[in-house]
Amino acid sequence: MSKGKIKIKINGKKISCSEGDTILNAANRAGIKIPTLCHDYRLEPYGSCRFCSVEIKGMARLLPACTTPAADNMDISTDSETVQRIRTRLVSLMLSNHPNDCMRCEADGDCSLQDLAYEYNVDGSEYGGERWDLPIRQANPFITYEPNKCIVCGRCVRICNEVVMAGTIDFTGRGFNTVPDTAFRTARTLSNCEFCGQCVSTCPTGALTDKKGRGKGRAKDFKKVRTTCGYCGTGCNFFLNVKDNKVVKVTSDYNGPVNHGNLCIKGRYGYDFIHSPDRITKPLIKKGKKFVEASWDEALGLVAKKFSEILKKHGPDSCGAFSSSRCTNEENFLLAKFVRTVFKTNNVDNCARV
Amino acid sequence: MAVTKTRPKTELKKLLIKVCVGTGGLAAGSQAVLDKFSRQLKSGGIKAEITKKCTQRTGCRGFCAKDVLVDVIRNGKKSTYQFVDTDKVSRIIKEHIIGGTPVKEWLAGPEYEAFHSKGTKVLLKQCGEIDPEDIESYIETGGYKATKKALKMKPEQVIDLIKKSGLRGRGGAGFPTGQKWELCSNAEGSPKYIICNADEGDPGAFMDRSIIEGNPHSVLEGMIIGAYAFGASRGYVYIRAEYPVAITRLKLAIKEAEKKGFLGNNIGKSKFDFDIRIKEGAGAFVCGEETALIASIEGARGMPRSKPPFPVYQGLWGKPTVVNNVETLATVPLIVFKGPKWFSSIGTKTSKGTKVFALTGKIKNTGLIEVPMGITLKEIIYDIGGGCPGNRKFKAVQTGGPSGGCIPASHIDMPVDYESLQEIGSMMGSGGMVVMDDTTCMVDMARFFLDFAQNESCGKCLPCRVGNKRLYERLKDITEGKGREGDIEFLLSLAEDIKISSLCGLGQTSPNPVLSTIKYFRDEYDAHIREHRCPAGVCEAFRKYIVNAEICKMCGKCFKECPSGAITWKRKQPAFIDRDKCVKCGNCYEVCPFHAIL
Ligand SMILES: Cc1cc2nc3c(=O)[nH]c(=O)nc-3n(C[C@H](O)[C@H](O)[C@H](O)COP(=O)(O)O)c2cc1C
Ligand code: SF4
Ligand code: SF4
Ligand code: SF4
Ligand code: SF4
Ligand code: SF4
Ligand code: SF4
Ligand code: FES
Ligand code: FES
């Protein structure tokens, strides 16, 4: 469907956008920032946190920018007094049912709620009243769930259902007691969960955290090293979170062009091998029945010698190379170049298949 | 066309017994009454006169407070009995059916007549008269004529007709029905759907249930006509599973309508295909909200979606969908049949036709009433409702259920229409009307509705999920004597913020009971907070359990009810409560006929 252009006004600034664009998208494109919380551009617009609410001339109520389509001649304000008042209200309401325990929290320094509490300078203490007192959930080998820190934005539920399509979690309970959980509050196990950690990655607070990294450091302690996943040919990008020269955990790179921050269990949690004592770090040459440690020169010399012998005896087509889908594009390119120019054959392939 | 089987009219003239077997009637034991009538008539040898059909299962006539109601029509003369139980059956048969003299003391009194004659029965006219389990009974009284008429018109003409009538949605917001159909008709996408909203979740409301139980075909007809008008090929009735009688009757009605060719393919040879399915809801209040209802039909958790986009553009399965209330749809065939002029002649300039209300609370005559729009509250409460029981002082009325607000006695001359109700801070809602007298505490009332709202909130959006909880908690504190200076301002500002920032109609309206009670009864809040006093004497925390010797009439009733021996009472002496022994059970407070206990 081809959509026409429409004209809107945001904070007095005239903007042209496409019909069907949400107010949020139109604003972002025009460089106007609207704070969001339940929004994740990988997910369908949802409108639950109401944090992106804006004032539209002629409307009695505020409307969320993330779900509301822009309409011709809309006159929008993203920072009016009412908008600011509602944002402050929302943050304080969130904090009124929150442990407010940043000093011990895994998410300290990497938590949207913490940032908002600081920005709006509220603590939610004016309400008094009930706070959740739900047990911490540790049964899953990769994910720790602290429901008391959940702000019920629904991002975990939606990513699990819309992107992963695993359907592991949904909202349970009603009213104040609404909280994301598995059916019948069973543990996330292999029978219902893929352990992809997508829910953890999208969680804006410390409610869902990577279990393996717990207690090993927080955002400010880490050096983030952007890298490509070594497990498959998709080539997902992510950040290795490094502290004291050790990889402590993997976090999403939302700007990764292939994966937009999405990862599977291997990429997100399969990093134990990096510091494994079993890891082979030097070439081994089989001598008799035993592998013996060797230098790189020695090993590569041996390989070159053997290939040369075969090529001389049986010709170029007697050799070929099969590359792993774990290799990067650059490595694959180099291998192909090598086979064609050194072996002088086209016998080259890769296991990556769709 | 199918030949209509005529009923044995002559026999009907002689003797007809109608027993109320609506949910109200059934709860009062009407099945047993009905069985006893047929058994006794049979064994009494009154066989030629009465056939099985004569004992019609009439739908609800809206006066359940007097159930079981039984009509005996003998020689064309109708007498209505109230509070009938199985013990009364024999005497009615002996004296009235055989003897010819109605049992006077059991007949429904003038209240029954007033209840029925003051209103304008248009929609409810057939409820209680026709047999809801027999399509012939409906057809005989003009049923499905409107459908046939509509199918001969062009769809646009049908929409036009509904627009001209001025019909507005009866589900709450009062959106013009014709306009809704037109929007959907012009919306891109197919197939299109029509959904009948029979979720009816307002506490105390049972208008929609009664219409479906008493006249299910009128609702089906409304759906068929609507579907034809804006081009829907499938209809759903979303009905709460707590309405088993309504569901059974609806299922039967659909089957019968299919048999008669009013549903199915090529209806009335007009090349119009349409079928209807029933979806039973699990009774969440929020599932009455149209987008949550749609999510529920789709098999998801019943949580509302942000609007826009509106369901007329993107509804069920993302297709153009009209959601209409039961009463709205049941009105449609009447408009098509009698014409828009007839309909718009009833009511006010902007609110046309009649509206059904469920009158409950502190009122003498509770039950269903149908009144023309624009009628004053005074007429409803005094002329139809008979005022408050015990001639207590009428204080306020809550319309619109938990979404509405209270209207104080000072506004009793106000007309009941969409705009007037909105203006005063309440709303039409789906038709609940709860009457309160001077024994109702307005803070406690607000607390009750907020408790409902915070329990029924779907939990999706923050202001409603947490905000309503905080409103409720503060109201609870006030009723428990823990109110503090500044609480009213706290409530007002939080309520306002919830209203403007919540996602769906539930959160947008749930603070109304707080706002309107503060607006009109702020002194009651002040009394609780500053004087530690509940003027209506409802909030138990403020009870002192002291006998006011000046009011005490020395009857000794409290003395007899006290479980802990805290009361001393001697003839000709006012009672005295030993507060050390008192366990605050409240018995004496409840039982004292003179409200002498503070
Ligand atoms: C919380 C909530 C509950 C509702 N419950 C009902 C209901 O029980 N029945 C109903 O017909 N409409 C209900 N509505 C209104 C519907 O969303 C919708 O507006 C209505 O069914 C449209 O029909 P109408 O145009 O015929 O009035 C409810 C709305 C809200 C916000
Ligand atoms: S989740 Fe965020 S706000 Fe909550 S304790 Fe942790 S860091 Fe603080
Ligand atoms: S780990 Fe993946 S599959 Fe498991 S709950 Fe989270 S998102 Fe769903
Ligand atoms: S666990 Fe995290 S992502 Fe899921 S709803 Fe709670 S705060 Fe949002
Ligand atoms: S206003 Fe309440 S009921 Fe409506 S979506 Fe929000 S939480 Fe759910
Ligand atoms: S409140 Fe109960 S225990 Fe106390 S005086 Fe009254 S009846 Fe007795
Ligand atoms: S019931 Fe009331 S009037 Fe009777 S003795 Fe007790 S306090 Fe007095
Ligand atoms: S970001 Fe728009 S409502 Fe949450
Ligand atoms: S069921 Fe008898 S009046 Fe309602």
Side-chain angles (χ1 to χ4, degrees):
Chain A
M1 236 188 298
S2 72
K3 299 243 167 156
K5 284 272 169 202
I6 52 170
K7 283 201 169 62
I8 58 170
K9 236 194 315 193
I10 304 184
N11 302 340
K13 189 173 157 188
K14 283 191 188 131
I15 289 168
S16 128
C17 66
S18 312
E19 213 180 330
D21 254 0
T22 60
I23 295 174
L24 181 66
N25 285 344
N28 278 347
R29 223 169 288 134
I32 298 166
K33 205 173 164 323
I34 300 176
T36 61
L37 198 52
C38 69
H39 186 69
D40 178 330
Y41 69 94
R42 296 170 292 176
L43 305 173
E44 292 292 321
Y46 194 57
S48 72
C49 74
R50 316 306 281 173
F51 209 72
C52 64
S53 294
V54 295
E55 205 169 346
I56 299 170
K57 210 172 185 173
M59 303 237 183
R61 278 188 278 274
L62 303 190
L63 282 175
C66 65
T67 62
T68 310
D72 212 7
N73 293 322
M74 254 186 190
D75 189 350
I76 300 157
S77 166
T78 70
D79 55 5
S80 70
E81 219 169 281
T82 315
V83 169
Q84 294 292 353
R85 187 187 87 222
I86 292 299
R87 285 186 198 150
T88 311
R89 170 71 76 189
L90 293 172
V91 181
S92 71
L93 278 175
M94 270 185 266
L95 293 171
S96 78
N97 180 34
H98 197 83
N100 301 357
D101 188 18
C102 304
M103 48 286 245
R104 294 190 299 159
C105 185
E106 278 301 315
D108 171 50
D110 183 24
C111 171
S112 305
L113 182 56
Q114 192 185 47
D115 294 345
L116 291 173
Y118 181 78
E119 186 179 346
Y120 290 89
N121 193 21
V122 286
D123 63 3
S125 59
E126 67 267 43
Y127 301 97
E130 187 187 340
R131 278 170 202 257
W132 284 349
D133 185 16
L134 301 166
I136 298 185
R137 308 275 287 276
Q138 295 270 25
N140 181 296
F142 302 108
I143 298 165
T144 300
Y145 179 30
E146 297 179 66
N148 291 342
K149 290 179 183 166
C150 172
I151 55 168
V152 200
C153 66
R155 280 164 65 163
C156 55
V157 167
R158 287 177 291 140
I159 208 158
C160 187
N161 288 281
E162 290 174 20
V163 177
V164 187
M165 297 195 159
T168 311
I169 43 177
D170 202 338
F171 290 108
T172 63
R174 241 195 246 173
F176 184 70
N177 299 317
T178 307
V179 65
D181 212 325
T182 53
F184 312 111
R185 318 223 148 155
T186 52
R188 287 173 166 91
T189 61
L190 255 183
S191 63
N192 61 15
C193 174
E194 299 189 358
F195 302 150
C196 62
Q198 288 280 87
C199 49
V200 178
S201 78
T202 194
C203 180
T205 71
L208 286 165
T209 48
D210 294 318
K211 192 173 178 184
K212 292 201 291 183
R214 277 175 79 85
K216 293 184 183 155
R218 297 187 283 194
K220 65 172 172 14
D221 307 323
F222 296 133
K223 195 173 127 201
K224 285 190 157 191
V225 182
R226 189 168 180 269
T227 188
T228 303
C229 179
Y231 276 107
C232 87
T234 308
C236 297
N237 293 151
F238 53 67
F239 291 110
L240 293 172
N241 288 231
V242 183
K243 187 188 168 197
D244 299 335
N245 230 9
K246 282 232 153 136
V247 175
V248 173
K249 62 179 174 186
V250 165
T251 51
S252 285
D253 173 11
Y254 296 102
N255 298 321
V258 266
N259 60 320
H260 305 285
N262 297 319
L263 290 173
C264 76
I265 178 175
K266 293 180 284 183
R268 195 180 306 278
Y269 295 125
Y271 55 81
D272 293 350
F273 71 90
I274 299 174
H275 302 296
S276 168
D278 301 338
R279 190 171 168 179
I280 296 165
T281 50
K282 287 196 178 118
L284 300 173
I285 295 176
K286 205 169 185 178
K287 292 187 176 152
K289 278 196 175 152
K290 264 178 77 183
F291 281 106
V292 179
E293 265 188 21
S295 72
W296 278 109
D297 282 347
E298 201 182 330
L300 289 174
L302 179 69
V303 173
K305 188 171 144 240
K306 295 264 175 177
F307 269 123
S308 309
E309 280 169 21
I310 297 168
L311 288 169
K312 204 179 235 170
K313 202 159 160 198
H314 303 289
D317 283 347
S318 64
C319 286
F322 201 74
S323 165
S324 163
S325 62
R326 290 188 182 189
C327 296
T328 61
N329 254 352
E330 292 76 1
E331 289 160 340
N332 284 319
F333 174 80
L334 284 176
L335 188 78
K337 201 85 181 160
F338 173 78
V339 170
R340 292 194 171 108
T341 55
V342 179
F343 288 179
K344 296 191 167 51
T345 171
N346 284 328
N347 289 345
V348 60
D349 205 355
N350 186 290
C351 72
R353 291 283 186 283
V354 180
Chain B
M1 214 205 89
V3 189
T4 311
K5 195 173 72 198
T6 45
R7 317 162 134 269
K9 286 226 167 88
T10 45
E11 247 180 70
L12 281 183
K13 255 219 164 101
K14 270 186 200 149
L15 184 59
L16 175 61
I17 295 169
K18 295 186 173 191
V19 180
C20 238
V21 286
T23 302
L26 284 175
S30 68
Q31 188 63 47
V33 171
L34 193 146
D35 290 347
K36 189 144 182 191
F37 263 112
S38 49
R39 237 182 302 125
Q40 293 223 341
L41 288 173
K42 212 168 168 188
S43 66
I46 316 171
K47 43 194 175 336
E49 310 289 326
I50 182 162
T51 65
K52 180 82 181 148
K53 264 210 167 158
C54 290
T55 313
Q56 272 194 8
R57 302 170 144 265
T58 70
C60 185
R61 59 190 90 197
F63 207 36
C64 294
K66 312 279 180 195
D67 264 327
V68 176
L69 287 163
V70 176
D71 289 343
V72 174
I73 301 157
R74 195 174 176 278
N75 294 329
K77 208 173 157 298
K78 180 165 122 185
S79 318
T80 304
Y81 289 96
Q82 62 186 14
F83 300 123
V84 179
D85 56 29
T86 48
D87 296 341
K88 292 183 176 162
V89 172
S90 309
R91 197 170 144 204
I92 294 175
I93 292 180
K94 200 165 134 216
E95 293 181 17
H96 186 179
I97 295 175
I98 302 174
T101 328
V103 188
K104 274 234 174 68
E105 64 260 44
W106 293 342
L107 286 178
E111 278 167 24
Y112 181 80
E113 288 311 315
F115 197 79
H116 287 274
S117 60
K118 293 276 176 178
T120 307
K121 288 222 169 185
V122 175
L123 263 184
L124 295 181
K125 196 165 159 230
Q126 290 178 312
C127 290
E129 297 302 328
I130 60 164
D131 183 347
E133 297 187 0
D134 183 1
I135 194 170
E136 301 299 350
S137 170
Y138 181 63
I139 291 174
E140 253 173 45
T141 54
Y144 286 106
K145 277 201 179 138
T147 300
K148 287 179 201 158
K149 185 174 165 192
L151 292 180
K152 286 201 191 94
M153 297 162 71
K154 286 201 186 106
E156 312 83 83
Q157 290 174 317
V158 179
I159 292 180
D160 222 42
L161 187 151
I162 298 297
K163 275 173 84 176
K164 274 202 191 108
S165 75
L167 174 64
R168 294 170 65 176
R170 302 300 196 229
F175 193 84
T177 306
Q179 198 187 333
K180 200 188 261 191
W181 290 7
E182 190 171 49
L183 288 173
C184 192
S185 167
N186 295 334
E188 269 175 55
S190 93
K192 291 178 181 173
Y193 298 100
I194 183 167
I195 298 173
C196 169
N197 188 344
D199 193 52
E200 201 167 44
D202 282 11
F206 55 104
M207 300 75 58
D208 296 347
R209 189 196 75 201
S210 301
I211 291 172
I212 295 181
E213 285 181 0
N215 195 359
H217 286 287
S218 65
V219 181
L220 299 186
E221 246 199 298
M223 291 179 77
I224 297 167
I225 294 168
Y228 174 73
F230 65 83
S233 52
R234 156 126 348 128
Y236 284 89
V237 181
Y238 188 89
I239 183 165
R240 46 179 42 221
E242 290 96 326
Y243 284 177
V245 177
I247 292 170
T248 316
R249 292 194 177 155
L250 205 52
K251 279 186 181 155
L252 185 73
I254 291 173
K255 224 184 247 162
E256 288 192 309
E258 279 168 354
K259 254 192 227 149
K260 288 267 175 195
F262 294 121
L263 285 173
N265 288 338
N266 198 14
I267 298 169
K269 300 207 171 60
S270 63
K271 298 211 172 93
F272 163 57
D273 304 340
F274 180 62
D275 63 5
I276 296 179
R277 296 189 178 185
I278 294 176
K279 168 80 189 170
E280 288 178 34
F285 174 61
V286 73
C287 284
E289 197 283 332
E290 52 188 2
T291 59
L293 183 153
I294 286 170
S296 176
I297 294 182
E298 288 172 351
R301 180 177 152 108
M303 277 177 147
R305 254 204 304 93
S306 278
K307 294 187 280 192
F310 289 92
V312 282
Y313 300 111
Q314 281 176 44
L316 186 61
W317 319 114
K319 301 293 181 192
T321 303
V322 163
V323 181
N324 272 143
N325 166 262
V326 170
E327 201 182 320
T328 314
L329 289 166
T331 310
V332 165
L334 293 172
I335 296 174
V336 173
F337 186 57
K338 297 190 180 182
K341 274 222 181 83
W342 160 79
F343 186 76
S344 58
S345 71
I346 312 169
T348 68
K349 194 154 167 265
T350 52
S351 306
K352 301 294 184 194
T354 61
K355 175 83 191 87
V356 183
F357 287 99
L359 198 55
T360 56
K362 305 275 178 60
I363 186 115
K364 270 194 201 130
N365 307 326
T366 59
L368 277 196
I369 57 167
E370 182 175 356
V371 292
M373 293 277 192
I375 190 174
T376 63
L377 277 174
K378 194 176 190 170
E379 288 172 90
I380 294 182
I381 287 157
Y382 287 104
D383 299 349
I384 301 175
C388 302
N391 288 324
R392 299 210 72 108
K393 207 168 144 239
F394 164 69
K395 185 177 193 172
V397 58
Q398 170 94 7
T399 63
S403 313
C406 71
I407 304 164
S410 54
H411 289 71
I412 194 159
D413 291 317
M414 198 190 89
V416 175
D417 59 56
Y418 291 103
E419 279 74 22
S420 307
L421 287 170
Q422 190 105 43
E423 228 165 81
I424 197 159
S426 183
M427 63 186 280
M428 182 74 76
S430 53
M433 212 176 247
V434 187
V435 181
M436 294 163 257
D437 65 12
D438 56 3
T439 63
T440 315
C441 167
M442 300 313 278
V443 186
D444 187 60
M445 205 260 331
R447 184 201 56 80
F448 168 82
F449 279 117
L450 260 293
D451 190 20
F452 181 83
Q454 61 107 8
N455 269 317
E456 293 294 332
S457 158
C458 83
K460 176 167 176 174
C461 73
L462 177 75
C464 171
R465 182 183 67 246
V466 185
N468 280 322
K469 169 85 173 174
R470 301 299 177 221
L471 279 182
Y472 162 71
E473 285 173 336
R474 192 59 60 102
L475 288 165
K476 188 159 169 278
D477 279 355
I478 297 175
T479 59
E480 286 175 354
K482 295 179 229 154
R484 280 168 309 183
E485 208 54 48
D487 278 356
I488 296 180
E489 291 70 26
F490 170 94
L491 291 170
L492 286 173
S493 84
L494 178 54
E496 194 52 45
D497 288 355
I498 295 172
K499 265 177 84 103
I500 64 167
S501 63
S502 286
L503 192 157
C504 85
L506 195 154
Q508 288 157 8
T509 58
S510 57
N512 284 346
V514 185
L515 291 170
S516 65
T517 49
I518 293 181
K519 185 166 173 195
Y520 299 115
F521 299 95
R522 197 174 175 129
D523 53 330
E524 285 196 30
Y525 280 82
D526 283 336
H528 283 75
I529 297 169
R530 295 184 181 156
E531 300 160 32
H532 285 267
R533 183 170 69 82
C534 172
V538 172
C539 302
E540 288 178 18
F542 299 110
R543 288 191 195 154
K544 299 189 181 82
Y545 298 108
I546 296 173
V547 178
N548 184 337
E550 279 168 32
I551 307 177
C552 174
K553 293 269 190 305
M554 308 166 201
C555 70
K557 281 204 171 140
C558 58
F559 170 74
K560 290 185 194 114
E561 291 299 325
C562 178
S564 65
I567 302 183
T568 38
W569 165 80
K570 288 198 195 79
R571 238 166 256 285
K572 303 220 173 128
Q573 266 182 37
F576 174 79
I577 299 176
D578 180 347
R579 299 190 64 207
D580 289 337
K581 284 192 192 159
C582 169
V583 296
K584 299 196 176 197
C585 72
N587 282 359
C588 57
Y589 187 94
E590 307 281 336
V591 80
C592 174
F594 310 102
H595 306 281
I597 291 169
L598 304 176

